[in-house]
Amino acid sequence: MTRPVLNSMLLGSTDPDRLKTWYRDAFQAKVDGYGNLDLGGFGLVIEHRDDVAARAVEPGRFIVNFAVDDIHAAAGHLRTFDVTWLVEPEDRGIGVFATLLDPDGNYVQLIQMKPEYYANR
């Protein structure tokens, strides 16, 4: 048996159309023939769920991470969506990180790693 590959994630929402539109526009996602978002080869599936609250009850249970080349440009783009920032872009030594909330209150993190991080992997 070959090793499994993580290729997608499902986000449940009480308003999936709003959430899907936000991720599509905020991260320039392509939409496949099934309405799922393609984020650089990783699929984000957003569906209506009756077993979730309108706002994330435990928003830190998972964090949607986006690797970006220019965190300040990405943050500037996201500011046009009037997002709530938990952490503005800040240098954490090995990279620059920022954390914001999506419309359902899930944590979304931007990460711009420094070149030495990749050199030492």
Side-chain angles (χ1 to χ4, degrees):
M1 180 171 108
T2 60
R3 186 175 73 184
V5 175
L6 183 65
N7 73 341
S8 69
M9 145 180 218
L10 184 137
L11 281 179
S13 178
T14 59
D15 191 348
D17 292 334
R18 173 184 51 94
L19 193 60
K20 190 181 299 186
T21 297
W22 185 84
Y23 274 96
R24 184 198 66 210
D25 296 346
F27 296 100
Q28 296 106 31
K30 295 177 183 172
V31 181
D32 71 15
Y34 299 100
N36 301 321
L37 304 177
D38 178 354
L39 296 158
F42 187 84
L44 185 58
V45 180
I46 300 174
E47 294 182 350
H48 183 267
R49 301 278 304 193
D50 292 326
D51 58 349
V52 299
R55 296 284 297 169
V57 178
E58 295 179 306
R61 182 167 293 272
F62 69 88
I63 299 174
V64 181
N65 291 324
F66 286 92
V68 296
D69 292 330
D70 183 340
I71 197 165
H72 297 289
H77 171 68
L78 288 165
R79 284 187 188 96
T80 68
F81 292 85
D82 195 31
V83 298
T84 299
W85 292 95
L86 298 176
V87 179
E88 291 276 348
E90 69 177 14
D91 191 319
R92 294 186 186 166
I94 197 63
V96 182
F97 294 75
T99 308
L100 59 133
L101 301 177
D102 75 12
D104 280 6
N106 300 305
Y107 289 175
V108 176
Q109 189 166 244
L110 306 177
I111 304 170
Q112 181 182 350
M113 300 306 287
K114 294 182 179 173
E116 54 268 28
Y117 170 80
Y118 297 106
N120 294 322
R121 286 180 76 186

